[in-house]
Amino acid sequence: MKQATIKKFRSFLKFKRGLTAYSLRKFKLYEVIVFWLKSILTRSQFLILSGILVGCSAGLAGVVLKSLVHAIHHLITHKVHFETQIFFYAVFPFLGIVLTSLVVVLFFGGNDRKGIPAILHEIAQNSSIVAPVKMYSQVVQSAITVGLGGSAGLESPIAVTGSAIGSNFAQTYKLDYRERTLLLAAGATAGIASAFNAPIAGMMFAVEILLTGVVFTDFIPLVLAAVCGNVLSRMLLNEETLFHFSSRHPFNYHNLPFYLVLGALCGLYARYFVVIGHQVERFFGNLKGGRLRKAMIGGGMLSVLCVLYPPLFGEGYETVKALVNGQVGELMENSFFGIVGGQRWAVVVFLTIVCLLKAFASSITIFSGGNGGNFAPSLFAGGTLGFVFALFCNFIGISDVPVANLVLVGMAGVMSGVLYAPLTAIFLIAESSSGYDLFIPLMVVGVMSFLISKWFSTISPDLQRLADEGKIFTREHDRNLLSQLNTLDFIDRDVPVVDIDLPFENFVDALHENSHNHLAVVDRNGIFRGMILVKDLYPYLFATGEVAGLSVASFVRQPPATVGENEPVARIVTRFDQTGSWHLPVVDPQGRYIGFIAKSRLLDRYRSLLQAHSG
């Protein structure tokens, strides 16, 4: 045993000398150790080790962010008396968005690409390579935004941070695209597991959202990353910081009508939420002025909302916990509705307005210059909607309403409809509430909300534009592979070009040097006028009297379609299928000829990609 240990140590020292001697950069000791382990482990074993290391790193990043934000938020909301608390509600949300915008400009070069769509774009268009700056930029920016009262969630920044950690780990240790994508997803899994105290939900998030359309078979690294992230959060975060609910009622099938109605309400509200989000995004996108001006306007709008309705301040999880525990009176104390007391009608009106305004508050936070995601807002809105529905049922005389269950199930419903991730929502609430006996109502409400959202839009509206442009993967695997191809790489610019007015006898000699079976025909301005098939010229090549008076125009054929140089490859393949052609001309927006694309070249490249992604 001792001899084997000495032998391994000598092997490590030899590997270290070789790595440092022939490398262009210096390696840290831990990098040398990991490279050595990679050299002696099998692929599966190294992926397991990678999943553990990435999971611990991403989980720790999630713990740091949650702790930092919780400390700031707790200081502002609990350590200040009511007389001055309004001042904080007015100042800090404004300050959070403005400071975040300044940090982005001063320290990150104005690059504020954020959210899950940015990661999906990197997976599909950048071979799962995420910039190293993403490993910490999202933590800094979201801590400022949400810590100072921004009405957004930390889970999306944590997922992006974890994805960046996984991607850069894979890049450092020279892993290929499939392994890089897997570790990217593992990092996000650990981040979500750490943030929500829900490892299975973290895995579902990776499978439903990040790995959509990606073929993979290695689940173990995802499992281990989720476990590591969750264990770290349980070890390092206190009970108050963890996303956890303990109060609920046992499931009773007699309450199923409540859940059916709530499922429909959640689906409709989810649609309202995303529509408001797009309207707010369009408003700030069209707003004249620089980044700082938009941040000041958005910060001012958010501050007004938080002063009028304090539950809109921050992530909102404390509000949801208060609803689950029946402590609704505390939510109204610091608002102007506190004047009318805790009358039932006042509570219903107050929470209904809060629920409707949450869509505005979160969208303003994100699109005016803050950093955050829609996880927390959708959960907050769903819990509030469930509580309002329960109060309304009591108000009209229905007894034995499972209030706590409706709050929990409502959270899953709205999240399912907003994110198009029903499994993530179902397992998240089941794990965070230890409510595995609630699986039936969670599935009913989550699936109903999801189906209603899909009825309005088959793809998440947040991803629709990128999906239409072929810049992210969808559930259509063939389209995903084709989206990785660039049209410019397939344009054949060597096809002979002839002028449409050229006499026939003047270009016969050029045909002997032509290896193509077609030619492009243009006018004197370079505008594409058609094509000539060489086989159409055979009867005239050796004729003498029959070619007199003929010109190129006499043999021109119009192609069944043309394509643009920036047109997605998936659309070009569809055009090939529709026309039955094997060659199509490429023209610019003004109709000038550029070249030809051959269907055979596209199919060859597609087969190579299919083999690489399925191997």
Side-chain angles (χ1 to χ4, degrees):
M1 184 71 178
K2 184 178 180 180
Q3 187 176 6
T5 303
I6 295 174
K7 185 176 180 181
K8 288 182 179 179
F9 183 68
R10 287 177 176 173
S11 172
F12 167 71
L13 293 178
K14 182 179 179 181
F15 179 86
K16 180 182 178 183
R17 284 195 298 269
L19 186 66
T20 54
Y22 297 103
S23 175
L24 297 177
R25 71 181 181 91
K26 293 184 178 180
F27 288 90
K28 299 180 177 64
L29 178 59
Y30 70 86
E31 291 181 322
V32 175
I33 294 174
V34 176
F35 267 116
W36 176 67
L37 290 172
K38 181 187 177 187
S39 69
I40 64 173
L41 297 176
T42 65
R43 174 184 177 275
S44 297
Q45 290 171 338
F46 186 72
L47 282 179
I48 289 174
L49 174 64
S50 301
I52 294 173
L53 296 176
V54 169
C56 290
S57 302
L60 186 60
V63 168
V64 170
L65 179 56
K66 292 283 284 187
S67 299
L68 180 60
V69 171
H70 180 76
I72 298 173
H73 192 70
H74 183 78
L75 176 66
I76 294 173
T77 57
H78 290 81
K79 299 299 182 182
V80 181
H81 296 294
F82 170 67
E83 288 78 11
T84 55
Q85 205 162 16
I86 291 180
F87 172 77
F88 283 107
Y89 285 143
V91 171
F92 279 96
F94 173 85
L95 196 60
I97 294 178
V98 173
L99 283 179
T100 302
S101 297
L102 287 174
V103 166
V104 169
V105 173
L106 296 177
F107 298 101
F108 299 108
N111 182 10
D112 65 343
R113 287 188 63 189
K114 54 200 174 190
I116 303 304
I119 297 301
L120 295 177
H121 180 271
E122 303 292 7
I123 292 174
Q125 301 298 316
N126 200 29
S127 299
S128 295
I129 296 175
V130 183
V133 70
K134 293 290 185 183
M135 291 191 288
Y136 56 88
S137 64
Q138 300 292 297
V139 172
V140 175
Q141 296 170 27
S142 60
I144 296 173
T145 298
V146 181
L148 293 176
S151 192
L154 297 172
E155 295 76 26
S156 181
I158 289 175
V160 173
T161 300
S163 298
I165 291 172
S167 171
N168 282 273
F169 179 93
Q171 293 175 61
T172 300
Y173 300 108
K174 313 301 180 185
L175 303 182
D176 62 22
Y177 170 75
R178 288 186 299 122
E179 295 161 344
R180 195 161 54 242
T181 303
L182 178 63
L183 292 183
L184 180 152
T189 296
I192 296 297
S194 171
F196 281 118
N197 189 30
I200 300 178
M203 290 185 58
M204 292 299 103
F205 169 80
V207 173
E208 279 192 302
I209 297 179
L210 293 184
L211 296 177
T212 297
V214 178
V215 177
F216 74 104
T217 57
D218 299 295
F219 283 93
I220 300 302
L222 291 180
V223 175
L224 294 175
V227 170
C228 292
N230 181 248
V231 169
L232 275 174
S233 68
R234 286 177 176 269
M235 291 171 55
L236 301 177
L237 295 178
N238 56 46
E239 185 70 22
E240 187 179 357
T241 309
L242 288 171
F243 185 80
H244 181 72
F245 304 94
S246 56
S247 178
R248 58 183 178 80
H249 307 288
F251 171 63
N252 187 334
Y253 71 91
H254 292 294
N255 294 327
L256 195 57
F258 292 119
Y259 300 121
L260 292 172
V261 175
L262 182 59
L265 292 175
C266 287
L268 295 174
Y269 179 85
R271 181 62 184 178
Y272 160 82
F273 190 98
V274 297
V275 168
I276 293 300
H278 281 275
Q279 294 294 331
V280 173
E281 181 182 14
R282 188 177 296 113
F283 169 78
F284 283 104
N286 296 331
L287 197 61
K288 303 297 182 182
R291 184 191 301 271
L292 189 59
R293 181 172 182 267
K294 293 180 180 180
M296 294 176 68
I297 293 174
M301 295 168 67
L302 180 63
S303 292
V304 171
L305 291 175
C306 289
V307 168
L308 295 176
Y309 300 96
L312 297 176
F313 187 89
E315 289 182 284
Y317 290 142
E318 294 300 320
T319 298
V320 176
K321 289 182 179 180
L323 294 178
V324 172
N325 297 324
Q327 301 167 344
V328 67
E330 298 178 4
L331 304 178
M332 300 178 61
E333 287 180 0
N334 296 337
S335 73
F336 294 104
F337 269 77
I339 299 173
V340 299
Q343 299 181 47
R344 187 179 299 176
W345 67 267
V347 173
V348 171
V349 172
F350 175 75
L351 291 179
T352 300
I353 295 174
V354 167
C355 187
L356 294 174
L357 290 181
K358 185 63 176 181
F360 287 93
S362 61
S363 300
I364 290 170
T365 300
I366 296 170
F367 296 118
S368 66
N371 192 305
N374 280 331
F375 275 74
S378 65
L379 292 171
F380 173 93
T384 307
L385 179 63
F387 190 82
V388 169
F389 175 63
L391 283 185
F392 178 78
C393 291
N394 282 328
F395 194 72
I396 61 176
I398 301 176
S399 59
D400 298 326
V401 179
V403 179
N405 287 7
L406 291 176
V407 172
L408 293 172
V409 172
M411 294 168 68
V414 173
M415 181 181 178
S416 173
V418 170
L419 300 181
Y420 281 55
L423 293 179
T424 303
I426 290 168
F427 280 101
L428 189 151
I429 300 302
E431 290 182 282
S432 62
S433 65
S434 299
Y436 297 102
D437 57 333
L438 290 180
F439 263 123
I440 297 299
L442 284 172
M443 288 189 288
V444 169
V445 175
V447 170
M448 282 189 65
S449 177
F450 173 67
L451 292 177
I452 291 173
S453 296
K454 287 206 70 171
W455 184 75
F456 286 106
S457 176
T458 55
I459 299 176
S460 172
D462 290 337
L463 308 176
Q464 186 70 58
R465 180 178 60 82
L466 291 174
D468 291 341
E469 295 173 357
K471 293 182 178 179
I472 63 172
F473 290 160
T474 65
R475 300 190 185 279
E476 301 177 27
H477 185 58
D478 290 342
R479 183 185 178 93
N480 297 338
L481 294 179
L482 293 174
S483 69
Q484 298 182 65
L485 305 180
N486 190 334
T487 301
L488 296 176
D489 296 335
F490 296 92
I491 298 177
D492 183 358
R493 303 176 188 270
D494 296 329
V495 175
V497 181
V498 295
D499 190 283
I500 192 171
D501 297 320
L502 189 68
F504 178 80
E505 58 270 15
N506 288 6
F507 82 99
V508 170
D509 292 338
L511 295 178
H512 298 294
E513 303 175 0
N514 174 38
S515 60
H516 296 78
N517 58 10
H518 56 278
L519 302 91
V521 180
V522 300
D523 61 19
R524 65 183 61 185
N525 296 318
I527 302 299
F528 180 75
R529 300 297 298 274
M531 57 188 294
I532 293 177
L533 300 181
V534 174
K535 66 178 182 179
D536 293 342
L537 302 177
Y538 289 157
Y540 302 92
L541 290 179
F542 305 103
T544 53
E546 297 181 14
V547 299
L550 293 179
S551 67
V552 169
S554 306
F555 302 93
V556 171
R557 286 190 180 197
Q558 292 303 316
T562 60
V563 299
E565 58 182 327
N566 295 317
E567 200 166 337
V569 172
R571 193 179 302 168
I572 295 175
V573 170
T574 301
R575 199 158 296 171
F576 273 121
D577 292 339
Q578 291 173 342
T579 61
S581 302
W582 282 88
H583 298 87
L584 287 176
V586 183
V587 298
D588 66 11
Q590 288 73 42
R592 288 189 290 267
Y593 170 75
I594 296 176
F596 269 83
I597 285 184
K599 183 178 180 180
S600 56
R601 288 190 63 192
L602 288 176
L603 293 178
D604 289 342
R605 180 59 180 146
Y606 170 79
R607 293 189 192 98
S608 300
L609 273 178
L610 185 62
Q611 184 177 7
H613 282 253
S614 303

